[in-house]
Amino acid sequence: MTLLVGCDFSSAPTRRKPIVLALGAADGPRVQLTRLEKLESLAAFSDWLRLREAWIGGFDFPFGLPRELVEHLGWPTGWLACMRHYAGLTRAQIRDTFAAWCAARPAGAKFAHRRFDRLAGSSPSMKWVNPPVAFMMHAGVPLLLEAGVDLPGLHAGDPRRVALEAYPGLLARELIGRRSYKSDDRAKQTPERLIARKDLVTALEQGRTRLALRLKLTHAQRDALVDDASGDSLDAVLCLVQAAWAAQQGAPRWGLPADLDPLEGWIVSA
């Protein structure tokens, strides 16, 4: 069976805040979590991407920028050229450029959005704080390109290693609404968030999603997901389930829409 991967990404991983990979496999409607793997540096993530084993992965960071923003800035409108230009900027340049865009926009419409952002409930990919998804893209996309993986709808690569943009919040909201289930701030790691994580894991195990997939866990795995108050492990597993759904849809589109914007990309299962 093809390895399935869900990735909770960090643009500056450390031992305390690593990149978390949820590795697993699917058998019909059942998604089995095999293990969680934690990577403490971008170099370790890059090494993992280069493994030649076949996989289909859902990665929790943006793969593209809003077309409106790119065209306004005069950046290349071809995805590869745009990402190479973007990777050549410093984070300070990105922040200043995007802040200037926002400053010139009216209240309530500060950020540019990709076509599916509101559909998925995802943060604008140009957002540089809370969460800094613009910096996550700046760190993550170049590593995907260097590893030569396939980015369906955006850039052809090794068809045995398929990387898709995922978003755990999309699936989490379907199962528990807008209840918060995680925080990196210890003071905010409350009993209410613990209960929300338990409810979210139970819903995944029972297959109560429109994706019609059931998560299979050991007792130890279930405890580990619930006990991780940061939510990083659970977010990786949510991305794993989205990757499993994409694998069910199959090549070449992996469930992505036919009218996907080849500059903006798409969140799998949105």
Side-chain angles (χ1 to χ4, degrees), residues 2-5 23 48-59 144 147 149-150 158-164 254:
T2 300
L3 176 67
L4 300 175
V5 184
L23 308 178
W48 186 90
L49 288 172
R50 294 171 186 273
L51 297 177
R52 306 313 295 181
E53 181 179 5
W55 50 260
I56 300 167
F59 295 82
L144 296 177
V149 306
D150 193 46
D158 179 358
R160 297 176 66 254
R161 294 174 294 142
V162 178
L164 299 157
W254 308 102

Side-chain angles (χ1 to χ4, degrees), residues 15 17 20 33 49 55 65 100 102 106 108 131 168 174 190 194 200 224 227 248 268:
R15 177 167 295 183
K17 185 71 172 176
V20 181
L33 175 64
L49 288 172
W55 50 260
L65 289 165
C102 292
E174 183 184 343
T190 61
L194 172 64
L200 184 47
D227 291 343
Q248 274 193 341
V268 68

Side-chain angles (χ1 to χ4, degrees), residues 154-213:
L154 297 173
H155 182 68
D158 179 358
R160 297 176 66 254
R161 294 174 294 142
V162 178
L164 299 157
E165 182 179 342
Y167 176 51
L170 174 63
L171 196 51
R173 275 196 298 274
E174 183 184 343
L175 296 172
I176 62 168
R178 294 195 172 273
R179 295 163 61 195
S180 177
Y181 60 94
K182 60 182 180 177
S183 178
D184 287 329
D185 184 345
R186 287 186 178 273
K188 296 180 181 179
Q189 294 173 354
T190 61
E192 291 77 15
R193 287 188 168 95
L194 172 64
I195 293 169
R197 288 194 299 280
K198 289 180 178 178
D199 290 347
L200 184 47
V201 170
T202 297
L204 287 169
E205 289 180 308
Q206 294 176 351
R208 299 203 311 260
T209 82
R210 61 187 170 83
L211 304 186
L213 295 170

Side-chain angles (χ1 to χ4, degrees), residues 225-243:
L225 295 181
V226 170
D227 291 343
D228 182 358
S230 73
D232 295 346
S233 299
L234 189 46
D235 280 350
V237 167
L238 289 163
C239 291
L240 171 70
V241 174
Q242 290 177 311

Side-chain angles (χ1 to χ4, degrees), residues 32-205:
Q32 174 76 60
L33 175 64
T34 304
R35 70 182 188 276
L36 295 170
E37 191 167 323
K38 298 185 177 181
L39 307 176
E40 298 174 4
S41 68
L42 291 174
F45 179 66
S46 178
D47 290 343
W48 186 90
L49 288 172
R50 294 171 186 273
L51 297 177
R52 306 313 295 181
E53 181 179 5
W55 50 260
I56 300 167
F59 295 82
D60 181 21
F61 58 85
F63 284 13
L65 289 165
R67 180 173 291 276
E68 178 188 13
L69 173 70
V70 172
E71 291 178 348
H72 174 84
L73 294 173
W75 291 358
T77 54
W79 182 84
L80 181 59
C82 183
M83 287 297 102
R84 284 178 171 163
H85 173 80
Y86 188 67
L89 301 174
T90 65
R91 290 188 181 183
Q93 288 173 320
I94 291 168
R95 182 189 63 244
D96 292 347
T97 300
F98 291 173
W101 161 278
C102 292
R105 305 266 288 187
K110 291 294 186 182
F111 291 97
H113 294 264
R114 294 180 291 173
R115 182 160 61 96
F116 53 85
D117 278 333
R118 290 186 175 90
L119 177 68
S122 52
S123 294
S125 58
M126 66 175 295
K127 197 172 184 185
W128 64 93
V129 289
N130 300 324
V133 290
F135 296 158
M136 292 164 69
M137 177 169 53
H138 185 257
V141 168
L143 298 181
L144 296 177
L145 285 171
E146 289 170 12
V149 306
D150 193 46
L151 299 159
L154 297 173
H155 182 68
D158 179 358
R160 297 176 66 254
R161 294 174 294 142
V162 178
L164 299 157
E165 182 179 342
Y167 176 51
L170 174 63
L171 196 51
R173 275 196 298 274
E174 183 184 343
L175 296 172
I176 62 168
R178 294 195 172 273
R179 295 163 61 195
S180 177
Y181 60 94
K182 60 182 180 177
S183 178
D184 287 329
D185 184 345
R186 287 186 178 273
K188 296 180 181 179
Q189 294 173 354
T190 61
E192 291 77 15
R193 287 188 168 95
L194 172 64
I195 293 169
R197 288 194 299 280
K198 289 180 178 178
D199 290 347
L200 184 47
V201 170
T202 297
L204 287 169
E205 289 180 308

